[in-house]
Amino acid sequence: MATRLSISKADIIKAIEASAAPVFRQKDLSALLQENRAFWRLAQSTTLPKFIEFLLASTKFRRVHLALPHRPETLFAWGDVSPHVIAAAAKPNAYICHFSAMRMHELTDQVPETIYANHEQRPLPHPAGELTQRAIDAAFRGKQRMTKNIAAMGDYRLCLINGKHTGQLGVVSMKDDAGVEFRVTGLERTLIDITVRPYYAGGVGEVLEAFRRAASRVSINKLSAMLKQMDFVYPYEQSIGFYLQRSGVYEPSRLEMFRKRKFTHDFYLTYAMKEKEYSPEWRLFFPAGL
């Protein structure tokens, strides 16, 4: 004897396919069930676990478990959803960033096996006190702090970064090969992010190459304004100015808005450099041979 779920299968599929995204959380499926229970003529005994069990057994829904050490997530994907769409859905309002965003903006030929996604922190107060040279030297003498919030995701790894709160500044929509939208950092925001955390971008050599490749498309005015709006404690304008100049593809006039800023401290292009050189113009230490 056919069940009400099986009788309503076509209508259930229609409702699922009308949803904005092909990746669902349990609460999304709960809302879908409650909104359509009467129309589908489902009894109250059709619980959410029973509904999910039916979807997994009778439709192209599949469960995606992300064993993130801080807080595991279980998602439900409708069909063959691309890993970047799944990664961008790993947390509410998450978006693709760093090395993965570089690939999408054609800033690298590398195909990272790790997909980087950012789930922003809640707003935090700006650190009190003045930035000192001693504090900068101490921070960059050691290794950069790296997230351990990493999980296997099919043929990839998901690296979920709990980044600075920006209100999703510079985040844009893209579509995968199947035409499914997901969120990713735009060109200028990507360049800022990889400057701040080069480890998540394949290192400073890859970052420098990204600046070269971005030359014909990047808005320096937008880059500068976005960096200012992000209000970092450290003077990353020195790093960005250095990358722009070192890439050798930007007209000197395009660097002026970074050159004219008053540099009050020596800074570092990356962490834990064993052999380094110094740029007096940018008051910046960088890896020897870069």
Side-chain angles (χ1 to χ4, degrees):
M1 181 177 177
T3 66
R4 282 305 314 170
L5 280 169
S6 60
I7 292 170
S8 302
K9 181 177 175 179
D11 288 328
I12 292 171
I13 291 174
K14 186 177 179 180
I16 290 169
E17 291 182 337
S19 299
V23 181
F24 297 75
R25 315 181 86 76
Q26 185 166 298
K27 67 177 183 180
D28 301 323
L29 296 178
S30 177
L32 188 72
L33 175 61
Q34 295 309 315
E35 289 168 10
N36 293 280
R37 181 185 292 278
F39 177 68
W40 295 335
R41 298 175 63 188
L42 302 180
Q44 290 301 316
S45 61
T46 304
T47 62
L48 179 60
K50 288 182 179 179
F51 181 57
I52 292 175
E53 181 182 353
F54 168 79
L55 292 175
L56 293 172
S58 304
T59 74
K60 60 181 181 179
F61 251 121
R62 61 188 176 95
R63 182 184 281 112
V64 179
H65 182 67
L66 302 175
L68 294 162
H70 293 179
R71 183 179 174 181
E73 294 284 347
T74 298
L75 306 175
F76 299 89
W78 182 248
D80 189 19
V81 181
S82 73
H84 290 92
V85 171
I86 292 174
K91 295 283 185 180
N93 300 315
Y95 50 85
I96 302 301
C97 61
H98 293 86
F99 215 166
S100 303
M102 286 168 61
R103 176 68 181 175
M104 292 172 187
H105 291 295
E106 299 181 338
L107 301 179
T108 179
D109 290 330
Q110 302 294 322
V111 183
E113 293 181 354
T114 298
I115 296 178
Y116 296 88
N118 190 349
H119 179 237
E120 294 188 359
Q121 303 173 30
R122 66 181 186 278
L124 298 172
H126 200 278
E130 292 287 329
L131 182 65
T132 67
Q133 189 63 58
R134 178 178 292 182
I136 294 173
D137 294 342
F140 283 82
R141 190 177 300 121
K143 293 183 179 180
Q144 188 171 32
R145 287 184 296 174
M146 309 304 301
T147 184
K148 295 181 180 178
N149 208 17
I150 297 171
M153 192 177 66
D155 294 332
Y156 294 87
R157 292 193 319 161
L158 170 65
C159 178
L160 189 62
I161 301 164
N162 194 209
K164 175 183 173 69
H165 178 80
T166 70
Q168 301 206 2
L169 180 67
V171 177
V172 301
S173 292
M174 274 193 177
K175 291 183 178 180
D176 67 4
D177 293 340
V180 178
E181 281 196 358
F182 60 96
R183 304 278 284 165
V184 59
T185 52
L187 181 63
E188 288 79 13
R189 173 64 190 273
T190 299
L191 291 174
I192 292 172
D193 284 353
I194 64 178
T195 297
V196 173
R197 289 182 166 179
Y199 182 86
Y200 296 145
V204 293
E206 283 285 344
V207 177
L208 180 59
E209 179 61 20
F211 273 86
R212 287 195 185 103
R213 293 187 176 210
S216 64
R217 294 174 285 149
V218 66
S219 166
I220 301 299
N221 286 337
K222 186 175 180 180
L223 181 67
S224 177
M226 191 175 293
L227 180 66
K228 185 175 182 181
Q229 192 171 344
M230 291 177 77
D231 192 28
F232 288 106
V233 172
Y234 292 133
Y236 288 110
E237 61 271 15
Q238 291 166 234
S239 301
I240 289 179
F242 173 84
Y243 277 127
L244 291 170
Q245 183 183 63
R246 197 73 168 184
S247 69
V249 294
Y250 294 85
E251 294 293 331
S253 59
R254 299 185 74 189
L255 280 64
E256 282 307 310
M257 66 181 59
F258 290 98
R259 273 203 185 100
K260 67 184 180 182
R261 298 189 184 188
K262 184 180 180 182
F263 303 148
T264 57
H265 298 89
D266 288 334
F267 194 48
Y268 297 80
L269 196 64
T270 189
Y271 290 75
M273 290 181 282
K274 293 182 179 179
E275 296 183 12
K276 53 185 180 288
E277 299 177 41
Y278 181 73
S279 167
E281 180 175 358
W282 299 103
R283 292 195 63 177
L284 186 80
F285 291 102
F286 59 94
L290 181 68

